[in-house]
Amino acid sequence: MSWLTNFVRPKIRALVRKTEVPDNLWDTCPACGKMIFHRDLEANQRVCTHCGHHMRLPAKRRLETLFDDGAYARIELPKTIQDPLKFRDQKKYADRLKAAREKTGEQDAILVAHGRVGGAPSVIAAFDFEFQGGSMGIAVGEALLAAARLAVLQQAALIVVPASGGARMQEGILSLMQLPRTVIAAEEVKEAGLPYIVLLTDPTTGGVSASFAMLGDVAIAEPGATIGFAGARVIEETIREKLPAGFQKAEYLLDHGMVDMVVHRHELRATIGKLLGLLTQARAPAEVVALPQKQLDIPAKK
């Protein structure tokens, strides 16, 4: 009986048991609704292979796609006070932070790294939307200041990639104080004569768009990214008018002069590298050509 139970029965069950298939092998495009095999989606940098919709990209993946050969070194970010207001809504803010850190493996909503983009030394600060919607609190403000000062120290360009719902409400006025502090960070880079480029991704809203995100020397946006301050519904209720189609989308802002260019994700590294080359490479002055005397003579007025 033990032979039948321990050997024959498991063999029979193995033959008739259905193979379990993981439920995360396919992703659905939120734009066209079509299914995409997860490996194909990742190989395409999370751009839909059917309609070209740009899905949100994790911060680490963003760094890999922007730095030359995906090579970069992250910096340790400044330590900041945790839960300064002892905030609580349905859950304690401290518990929300703990859950976000367990989910993402990061300490807060931003990563800062340095390397080369298009051969030019660069510092990139990339937001992680998975960490509390990429919201900006004290830690994010400190990280952006650290990124700016590192760029100045290394004489490197600063590239910021926001993906955020705005200021972090659980830190109250302290989160709003990061708006002027991030503006100071951008100005420190500009005063040093270094390029400051902002890559606007989906979404860039609230206090983030009201501060450093709109101060870039060059403002680049990904296709279809939502960029603005308040939500479209809030604006419609305030002005009591229907907003135009595509309002707050990257293409609409390009047409109305709010961004400089909309660039496909596959072309971002090359485009930013070309911009950095134009902004940082010293060029020899043009040769001075002597004009003939006849062209220099100005006829007297009669």
Side-chain angles (χ1 to χ4, degrees):
M1 188 67 181
S2 60
W3 177 75
L4 292 173
T5 303
N6 297 334
F7 183 78
V8 177
R9 185 180 294 173
K11 288 288 186 180
I12 295 174
R13 285 179 176 174
L15 291 173
V16 299
R17 184 187 298 128
K18 293 182 179 179
T19 304
E20 295 183 1
V21 179
D23 57 0
N24 60 346
L25 293 180
W26 295 86
D27 290 274
T28 303
C29 175
C32 66
K34 293 186 178 180
M35 301 288 288
I36 313 165
F37 188 55
H38 73 108
R39 289 182 182 173
D40 294 338
L41 185 60
E42 290 300 325
N44 207 39
Q45 298 182 20
R46 295 196 64 79
V47 176
C48 178
T49 54
H50 301 287
C51 69
H53 174 72
H54 285 52
M55 303 182 196
R56 289 169 185 159
L57 199 63
K60 287 182 180 178
R61 187 82 172 99
R62 178 74 64 182
L63 297 177
E64 293 173 3
T65 61
L66 291 179
F67 281 111
D68 293 349
D69 301 321
Y72 61 88
R74 288 180 56 180
I75 68 168
E76 184 177 353
L77 300 178
K79 302 296 183 183
T80 60
I81 185 171
Q82 304 293 313
D83 194 8
L85 305 180
K86 305 302 179 186
F87 189 91
R88 177 169 187 159
D89 45 24
Q90 294 179 343
K91 292 174 63 176
K92 291 181 180 179
Y93 177 43
D95 293 340
R96 291 187 184 277
L97 282 176
K98 182 179 178 181
R101 286 167 179 164
E102 290 176 352
K103 178 181 178 181
T104 63
E106 302 296 337
Q107 288 300 301
D108 216 280
I110 190 170
L111 280 64
V112 177
H114 59 98
R116 290 186 175 272
V117 178
S122 305
V123 176
I124 298 180
F127 280 64
D128 187 353
F129 191 79
E130 293 297 315
F131 194 107
Q132 290 201 318
S135 53
M136 181 171 65
I138 299 172
V140 169
E142 288 288 345
L144 285 170
L145 278 167
R149 287 162 185 170
L150 177 63
V152 173
L153 181 66
Q154 295 186 346
Q155 287 295 287
L158 176 60
I159 303 166
V160 181
V161 190
S164 173
R168 188 170 297 174
M169 59 167 287
Q170 291 91 345
E171 295 185 17
I173 190 64
L174 297 175
S175 66
L176 296 179
M177 289 171 63
Q178 307 315 307
L179 275 68
R181 297 183 79 232
T182 56
V183 171
I184 291 171
E187 288 303 315
E188 287 184 2
V189 175
K190 293 184 179 185
E191 288 175 3
L194 300 167
Y196 172 52
I197 295 177
V198 180
L199 170 56
L200 303 161
T201 68
D202 185 65
T204 301
T205 57
V208 167
S209 66
S211 54
F212 67 90
M214 290 300 176
L215 299 178
D217 298 323
V218 182
I220 306 172
E222 284 193 330
T226 298
I227 305 164
F229 181 67
R233 178 178 55 82
V234 174
I235 297 173
E236 286 184 339
E237 291 177 355
T238 302
I239 66 175
R240 301 182 185 279
E241 291 183 13
K242 185 68 177 176
L243 295 173
F247 181 75
Q248 292 185 330
K249 292 297 182 182
E251 293 76 10
Y252 183 92
L253 270 64
L254 177 65
D255 292 340
H256 291 77
M258 293 297 292
V259 300
D260 297 305
M261 57 182 73
V262 176
V263 181
H264 194 283
R265 186 172 292 166
H266 295 170
E267 300 171 0
L268 281 172
R269 183 193 297 172
T271 300
I272 295 175
K274 187 181 296 184
L275 286 171
L276 294 180
L278 293 171
L279 293 171
T280 60
Q281 290 179 7
R283 284 174 167 74
E287 181 182 354
V288 178
V289 179
L291 294 174
Q293 187 64 34
K294 290 182 180 180
Q295 296 184 23
L296 295 176
D297 291 339
I298 301 174
K301 293 183 179 180
K302 293 181 180 180

